[in-house]
Amino acid sequence: MTNTESNTVSYPVMEHFYTLQGEGLHTGRAAYFIRLGGCDVGCVWCDVKESWDASIHPQMTANEITQLAAANPGRIAVITGGEPALHDLTALCNLLHGEGFKTHIETSGSSPIVGAIDWVTLSPKKFKAPIQEALDLANELKVVVYHHSDFKWAEEHAAKVGKDCLLYLQPEWSKRDSVTPLIIDYIQQHPQWQLSLQTHKYINIP
């Protein structure tokens, strides 16, 4: 796909903003977030349920999104959702790369990832399990812990990712007071895992 063709491809964008990455390996780094509409997973504890229906969000071209991102000095672009892998991200990734960005995606892994993504954060959900194709691409596996049974779920998926994939356990926000101590104990006994916190929520940034 040429850049001219990429310019005209559009996506349903719920929101876009410049902030700090709050989770995983890249916590604390400046990043431009692009939240796309559309999701076929439907987690009951999702904190952005308004992203699920792609039809209610305005269409923006890949070029418009890229130029807004490029107006900021940071050069990480995080494509999230919803479920961003429902979209062909080729055009958006091509243009972002042209502006010097590293492209990151936050996905449940329930659909194939299409586009040149530099960093894949895969967060598997019980509501629609990830496909092996997505697990193979994961740079970090981030399992949200809502219930004690999620530790078993985490181990099942840790066995399916590559040996260099980073492993994170993250408390579900509404359960953080009760779940975080369980995660700390678990990581002490299973040190291949690391703790991921939603630091952006603690410091009240987007």
Side-chain angles (χ1 to χ4, degrees):
M1 182 180 294
T2 66
N3 276 0
T4 300
E5 292 171 325
S6 296
N7 287 343
T8 61
V9 175
S10 64
Y11 301 90
V13 179
M14 175 187 159
E15 59 181 349
H16 51 93
F17 50 89
Y18 188 53
T19 186
L20 304 185
Q21 171 60 273
E23 304 171 5
L25 178 68
H26 297 284
T27 293
R29 299 187 67 187
Y32 196 85
F33 274 72
I34 303 158
R35 188 179 303 281
L36 301 182
C39 185
D40 62 347
V41 181
C43 305
V44 294
W45 39 256
C46 177
D47 55 4
V48 282
K49 289 185 173 69
E50 58 271 31
S51 69
W52 292 1
D53 183 355
S55 69
I56 67 174
H57 300 296
Q59 293 284 325
M60 294 178 63
T61 67
N63 185 58
E64 289 172 332
I65 299 167
T66 299
Q67 293 310 307
L68 287 166
N72 302 280
R75 281 300 179 266
I76 292 174
V78 181
I79 306 169
T80 185
E83 177 43 70
L86 290 176
H87 305 279
D88 183 339
L89 301 172
T90 302
L92 182 56
C93 289
N94 287 351
L95 291 177
L96 287 167
H97 281 149
E99 292 289 341
F101 281 89
K102 292 293 186 181
T103 53
H104 295 196
I105 190 172
E106 297 180 348
T107 177
S108 70
S110 60
S111 298
I113 299 168
V114 182
I117 299 291
D118 299 305
W119 186 265
V120 175
T121 299
L122 195 149
S123 185
K125 304 299 191 295
K126 292 180 178 178
F127 311 98
K128 188 172 184 181
I131 59 176
Q132 188 60 48
E133 178 184 339
L135 287 159
D136 290 341
L137 294 173
N139 298 106
E140 60 182 8
L141 178 72
K142 183 183 70 183
V143 178
V144 176
V145 179
Y146 182 82
H147 184 270
H148 198 277
S149 64
D150 292 324
F151 292 113
K152 181 175 184 291
W153 171 257
E155 293 294 355
E156 288 172 357
H157 287 84
K160 297 177 182 179
V161 296
K163 63 180 179 62
D164 295 325
C165 182
L166 303 175
L167 304 178
Y168 288 98
L169 297 172
Q170 179 170 293
E172 197 277 323
W173 182 249
S174 70
K175 298 278 189 178
R176 63 192 181 280
D177 291 340
S178 60
V179 168
T180 300
L182 299 178
I183 294 176
I184 292 170
D185 289 343
Y186 192 87
I187 292 173
Q188 288 176 327
Q189 298 302 314
H190 304 84
Q192 68 272 29
W193 291 93
Q194 300 179 64
L195 176 64
S196 174
L197 296 173
Q198 292 181 292
T199 59
H200 55 293
K201 292 188 177 181
Y202 284 101
I203 62 177
N204 196 30
I205 61 174

